[in-house]
Amino acid sequence: MHLIPVDSAPYQEMTIAFKAHALRLTLRYNSLADYWALDVFDLKRERYTAQGQPLIVGTPILWRRPIDYCFILTDENGIGLDPVGGEDLGQRCLLYIADKAQITALV
């Protein structure tokens, strides 16, 4: 797993490399509904892998998509709560990208 450098800014866009992928990530905080959403754009394939995907703790994000990676959001306090109030991302909640094959091997 590789840590993605995020913080609590309400709009973030970054490009990351993972394995053979070049991905543009966009994270948005929805203050009305109090949740974070993730867009993943594959720069090599020139298409979205996900749009508006909610960030939730405890479930591999994009696990069921036909891709070889997923995202994992952790709660560093160990409580298992999703990020709330817009201030938790990058502090209490950390975002990782992981190889699905490695996660499957651990189970």
Side-chain angles (χ1 to χ4, degrees):
M1 289 194 327
H2 299 281
L3 180 64
I4 298 171
V6 296
D7 57 35
S8 59
Y11 181 86
Q12 303 170 53
E13 188 171 279
M14 67 194 75
T15 301
I16 64 168
F18 183 74
K19 295 176 65 172
H21 303 281
L23 307 170
R24 184 176 64 231
L25 307 180
T26 305
L27 293 103
R28 294 178 315 280
Y29 176 65
N30 182 325
S31 60
L32 296 176
D34 193 24
Y35 77 95
W36 285 89
L38 170 69
D39 296 342
V40 180
F41 186 81
D42 188 317
L43 294 167
K44 290 184 180 178
R45 296 169 64 196
E46 296 184 347
R47 67 180 187 183
Y48 280 97
T49 302
Q51 287 182 282
Q53 180 69 46
L55 293 183
I56 56 173
V57 170
T59 302
I61 301 163
L62 306 183
W63 184 260
R64 294 183 182 216
R65 299 283 170 100
I67 51 178
D68 60 351
Y69 60 87
C70 64
F71 295 90
I72 298 172
L73 187 68
T74 63
D75 177 352
E76 296 302 301
N77 286 349
I79 301 170
L81 294 176
D82 296 336
V84 293
E87 298 298 320
D88 289 341
L89 192 63
Q91 296 174 27
R92 180 178 60 82
C93 295
L94 302 179
L95 184 62
Y96 295 86
I97 188 168
D99 185 335
K100 286 183 182 177
Q102 289 178 335
I103 292 174
T104 304
L106 295 174
V107 177

